[in-house]
Amino acid sequence: MWGILRRSAVDGGGFSASSLRRTRSALVSARSYASGSKEMTVRDALNSAIDEEMSADPKVFVMGEEVGQYQGAYKITKGLLEKYGPERVYDTPITEAGFTGIGVGAAYAGLKPVVEFMTFNFSMQAIDHIINSAAKSNYMSAGQINVPIVFRGPNGAAAGVGAQHSQCYAAWYASVPGLKVLAPYSAEDARGLLKAAIRDPDPVVFLENELLYGESFPISEEALDSSFCLPIGKAKIEREGKDVTITTFSKMVGFALKAAEKLAEEGISAEVINLRSIRPLDRATINASVRKTSRLVTVEEGFPQHGVCAEICASVVEESFSYLDAPVERIAGADVPMPYAANLERLALPQVEDIVRAAKRACYRSK
Amino acid sequence: MALSRLSSRSNIISRPLSAAFRRSISTDTTPITIETSLPFTAHLCDPPSRSVESSTQELLSFFRTMALMRRMEIAADSLYKAKLIRGFCHLYDGQEAVAIGMEAAITKKDAIITAYRDHCIFLGRGGSLYEVFAELMGRQDGCSRGKGGSMHFYKKDSSFYGGHGIVGAQVPLGCGIAFAQKYSKEEAVTFAMYGDGAANQGQLFEALNISALWDLPSILVCENNHYGMGTAEWRAAKSPSYYKRGDYVPGLKVDGMDAFAVKQACKFAKEHALKNGPIILEMDTYRYHGHSMSDPGSTYRTRDEISGVRQERDPIERIKKLVLSHDLATEKELKDMEKEIRKEVDDAIAKAKDCPMPEPSELFTNVYVKGFGTESFGADRKEVKAALP
């Protein structure tokens, strides 16, 4: 707690509204430690992470559509323009190829851009810069040109936004060496992973989820500290279990946890792994879990073919084959463009019952 | 205010009350000439005349169709707030003159492609209110059978190619349709519509360059409503003179709130494009709603600005004044027409609400033209498998 107070005094001397809120909340939670934990929305977690990193390092700047005056299309960058001014927060025209290229160029020259894509669907307009200009540069230049950039924004399906606005890009970006690809679930993930991403010297694709922005999660003292970072490349075991391993990331972690509850009612103890990091993929944690449970259900929201689940299945079959007691299971988005109609959209996305069904199959418990 | 040059036939001083003296609304095609309220501003071309040839029938139909479009969009607003429409919903109210003026100048062989603010363009191309509302509510009788949603309306039989969600993408696509028209010697043109936000997209300039090199009949129509979502044009474009941005490509700046100016400009552009290749039309227009239903539209512009445009430049009010000054209908008749329109819209909504959602099997249709039995999967690939039809 004292660390936080000291930090606020260091950055600019004055107490800004948000740092004061954090300080006050830290004091409050210290006093009320015995009575309950704090909660934070994913939105606030992301906002505070960017705020703290901008405060700590003047090379960090934010760029994207509506990030400044509009306060962010999803309000993730709310208050940042007012706090840091137009030299640190840039509203761009609707020109992803151009501003992404400019962001990568700025990173070449030593700055630390945080580039927002209003959704990752629009990153396709800029994908050449993400892959060819950012991911590969450190390698091609034998270490001379590293690219400390973060590409962030909502990824995957929202609600009823149709085929062109619902794709999950985890598999595409995670297949590229040179990139780091992160996918937070909880508020703690959001804070820790985004702060780590901004501090990271390599290009990071940071896949958020629009439907998680408003969700509140309990958050620890430690996670509220401005020095809090999560390691990149480490998965988190959200729920321990012994009968079946369920791996997933982002919004599906919530679904997997609900599925685990349902499975527990039927006497099946599921271990839920929140990947957090798609590249590097924490194969060690996944395999250790499968070696314990002998069964694997992998879950993702994106298209099934060549997906994240496919890589995890391959890894487990390669490294833990003799531990498997059942075929590996994949639950993913349907193999069709995202339909708009509500009933079809529901069929196109994994539901809790799909995860439960697959887990029971792996346990040879289906009818 | 448009001054109309009245022909001697329409110069009625006394206003008889009997119906016999008043023009019948549906069949009268007396020619009239309307002056556009503002001159055209031209870039690398000679602007067309401000005198627009029209007819009494056209003038009345402009009123009716624009009032229909307006009512449709306002009804969509209510449906969205009632959560019957999901996802994104971008409304066109305020911009109706562009859709209607363009239709009046062209045929259904000429193609139109636009972005996601497409409901009224679809209606103008001959789509029905029922198809619109059914699609917005994700029902099987929607124009895309419920699978597209608000941003993905199409009507290929009227050469309307959608309905696109990615800003700017529709412009090279439109130039591609123009390419096909020229390739097949169709003597038709394509209107590729985009906003001031999309005007800075690089792909526009790439497509324009090729269109100019290959003399494609592409007409780029910038619907400049002055805001790209929350960003005013001067914050996004070093040069917001979008009609000049084609550089070597001629352009025309048009009062987009004046349906007759739009008609004249589109007629001019079609003639130009068929002979000389691409041209840019910048329609100076305005949207009353925010960017979408998720945007209040008031954080980046003042309520005074919005109400000012509504008072001074509303496209439907302008047509209404013309109808009244040409004595084509009385205030009461127009009000009755508006009542009829309201009913028409309400009936279409009621019918659409009764329409069922698509069958689950529709999840797997239209992935390919012919699936030849290719496998596809649902979320649980062992539970839901399909052979693509």
Side-chain angles (χ1 to χ4, degrees), chain A residues 72-137:
Chain A
Y74 299 101
K75 306 292 178 270
I76 308 302
T77 52
K78 186 171 189 198
L80 295 179
L81 176 65
E82 284 66 37
K83 184 169 178 185
Y84 294 101
E87 313 250 301
R88 306 282 302 279
V89 180
Y90 292 83
D91 279 325
T92 65
I94 309 174
T95 52
E96 278 77 4
F99 70 70
T100 304
I102 287 174
V104 175
Y108 278 10
L111 297 182
K112 293 177 158 191
V114 177
V115 174
E116 175 174 306
F117 290 118
M118 202 180 281
T119 76
F120 263 92
N121 301 283
F122 315 140
S123 73
M124 291 199 288
Q125 288 204 335
I127 204 165
D128 175 63
H129 281 304
I130 300 171
I131 310 295
N132 278 331
S133 307
K136 302 176 183 173
S137 288

Side-chain angles (χ1 to χ4, degrees), chain A residues 209-352:
Chain A
N209 185 289
E210 192 212 307
L211 299 176
L212 285 178
Y213 284 150
E215 265 198 50
S216 270
F217 292 86
I219 192 149
S220 65
E221 275 304 300
E222 192 202 345
L224 285 169
D225 189 280
S226 62
S227 61
F228 177 68
C229 254
L230 283 173
I232 291 179
K234 282 290 298 163
K236 180 187 180 197
I237 298 179
E238 293 283 349
R239 180 187 172 121
E240 285 194 17
K242 54 179 185 52
D243 295 330
V244 58
T245 299
I246 305 177
T247 68
T248 189
F249 59 97
S250 189
K251 189 163 114 255
M252 290 291 126
V253 175
F255 281 40
L257 288 170
K258 288 204 183 91
E261 285 291 325
K262 289 205 148 93
L263 289 164
E265 287 165 22
E266 303 199 39
I268 297 176
S269 154
E271 178 148 292
V272 176
I273 299 182
N274 171 7
L275 294 175
R276 283 181 164 175
S277 181
I278 320 293
R279 177 182 269 270
L281 189 61
D282 190 350
R283 294 189 181 84
T285 299
I286 297 166
N287 278 282
S289 174
V290 174
R291 287 176 184 213
K292 183 175 71 168
T293 65
S294 313
R295 296 155 214 283
L296 174 70
V297 175
T298 61
V299 183
E300 68 180 312
E301 208 183 66
F303 297 135
Q305 191 163 335
H306 310 299
V308 174
C309 292
E311 173 64 30
I312 293 173
C313 287
S315 169
V316 163
V317 166
E318 283 165 356
E319 295 177 46
S320 309
F321 181 73
S322 53
Y323 293 83
L324 283 169
D325 281 348
V328 293
E329 294 274 350
R330 282 187 292 171
I331 296 295
D335 198 24
V336 299
M338 183 64 66
Y340 166 67
N343 63 329
L344 297 184
E345 187 179 44
R346 197 178 188 285
L347 290 171
L349 290 167
Q351 303 299 335
V352 174

Side-chain angles (χ1 to χ4, degrees), chain B residues 95-153:
Chain B
Q95 299 184 212
E96 298 90 349
V98 178
I100 208 86
M102 187 179 290
E103 280 304 333
I106 63 178
T107 72
K108 295 294 193 284
K109 284 233 140 26
D110 298 309
I112 301 181
I113 191 170
T114 188
Y116 39 75
R117 207 175 298 280
D118 58 352
H119 308 162
C120 297
I121 307 288
F122 172 77
L123 208 70
R125 289 267 87 182
S128 73
L129 285 172
Y130 176 57
E131 285 175 294
V132 168
F133 290 117
E135 186 59 35
L136 289 175
M137 294 195 272
R139 310 298 170 97
Q140 66 187 21
D141 287 345
C143 49
S144 297
R145 303 233 293 279
K147 291 161 72 160
S150 166
M151 297 184 283
H152 305 296
F153 286 13

Side-chain angles (χ1 to χ4, degrees), chain B residues 213-365:
Chain B
L213 279 171
W214 297 348
D215 287 313
L216 303 182
S218 335
I219 299 164
L220 269 63
V221 180
C222 178
E223 291 185 278
N224 182 7
N225 59 24
H226 308 282
Y227 296 93
M229 194 162 149
T231 303
E233 59 185 322
W234 55 271
R235 290 183 61 227
K238 186 68 180 170
S239 164
S241 301
Y242 302 105
Y243 72 107
K244 284 194 199 163
R245 294 276 292 273
D247 185 13
Y248 43 82
V249 169
L252 204 64
K253 184 163 173 176
V254 184
D255 177 3
M257 304 301 255
D258 177 351
F260 288 101
V262 174
K263 177 187 170 182
Q264 189 81 319
C266 291
K267 183 163 172 286
F268 172 79
K270 177 171 173 175
E271 280 159 23
H272 180 280
L274 283 172
K275 283 203 305 286
N276 306 320
I279 184 168
I280 297 181
L281 299 178
E282 179 187 337
M283 305 289 182
D284 184 348
T285 184
Y286 200 82
R287 54 164 162 82
Y288 295 136
H289 268 87
H291 163 75
S292 72
M293 287 303 297
S294 318
D295 170 34
S298 52
T299 58
Y300 47 86
R301 41 182 205 174
T302 63
R303 289 187 205 278
D304 281 345
E305 179 188 290
I306 305 169
S307 56
V309 174
R310 215 186 264 277
Q311 267 171 292
E312 309 287 316
R313 298 179 68 209
D314 184 85
I316 302 178
E317 277 306 303
R318 179 175 309 202
I319 295 297
K320 190 171 179 185
K321 286 194 182 104
L322 283 170
V323 167
L324 293 172
S325 72
H326 277 84
D327 201 39
L328 301 185
T330 62
E331 282 263 15
K332 182 174 184 309
E333 280 168 329
L334 292 181
K335 280 225 155 36
D336 287 342
M337 212 185 281
E338 280 172 328
K339 275 206 202 101
E340 265 171 51
I341 285 166
R342 215 173 237 251
K343 183 166 191 310
E344 211 181 308
V345 167
D346 288 342
D347 287 348
I349 292 174
K351 189 171 173 214
K353 278 181 179 166
D354 279 340
C355 178
M357 285 184 153
E359 290 294 314
S361 58
E362 287 280 351
L363 186 66
F364 294 108
T365 57

Side-chain angles (χ1 to χ4, degrees), chain B residues 364-371 374 388-389:
Chain B
F364 294 108
T365 57
N366 314 118
V367 176
Y368 293 128
V369 174
K370 275 207 166 83
T374 309
L388 293 180

